[in-house]
Amino acid sequence: MDKVSVIADWLREHKAADVDVIDLEGRGAFTEAMVVATASSVRHAQSLADGVNRLCGENGYEFLRMDGYAVGQWILVDCNDFVVNIFQADTRRLYKLESLWSVPSSKEELQAMAESAGE
């Protein structure tokens, strides 16, 4: 199982809501993948972030830094080749992070999106 799947599954097991994985490989992005999850409270968000940090250490995944921990509205855990974003629900709706990466990566993907929108 790859790193991102391990992290996403762990978040789901620990009651994170709406866990989404966004594949950014080949998109010229700053990382290969992004995980987005919603926490039920500031304390829950901090606990999830602590758990991701611990899981990285246990599995030998690179951990660079964590931002937003004290406030807990949007905690970013930077693991170099993937990034975990843990939001409070209102903050996630405000920033709509997933929509920033919904741009198709190829002409074929754009065509497929257009065809499925017409159905």
Side-chain angles (χ1 to χ4, degrees):
M1 187 178 283
D2 72 337
K3 299 176 194 180
V4 176
S5 295
V6 169
I7 297 294
D9 289 345
W10 185 91
L11 287 166
R12 289 182 189 103
E13 289 169 12
H14 289 84
K15 310 298 184 206
D18 303 318
V19 178
D20 291 325
V21 175
I22 303 167
D23 183 3
L24 299 175
E25 193 170 353
R27 292 188 178 229
F30 57 95
T31 190
E32 294 175 15
M34 186 180 310
V35 180
V36 184
T38 302
S40 58
S41 67
V42 169
R43 182 131 172 105
H44 185 219
Q46 291 168 334
S47 175
L48 291 172
D50 289 338
V52 169
N53 185 8
R54 224 176 5 264
L55 194 58
C56 287
E58 291 169 3
N59 289 293
Y61 304 159
E62 189 171 4
F63 173 83
L64 299 180
R65 69 181 174 278
M66 190 181 307
D67 291 320
Y69 185 88
V71 176
Q73 292 299 306
W74 177 1
I75 301 175
L76 182 137
V77 183
D78 187 347
C79 301
N80 192 27
D81 50 348
F82 65 94
V83 174
V84 180
N85 296 273
I86 303 167
F87 285 99
Q88 297 301 308
D90 290 343
T91 306
R92 185 171 179 175
R93 280 191 297 273
L94 176 68
Y95 287 101
K96 300 176 186 170
L97 190 60
E98 296 92 333
S99 69
L100 294 174
W101 297 102
S102 63
V103 176
S105 61
S106 67
K107 187 176 182 179
E108 292 77 21
E109 187 178 342
L110 177 61
Q111 182 66 34
M113 287 173 72
E115 289 172 4
S116 68
E119 295 175 0

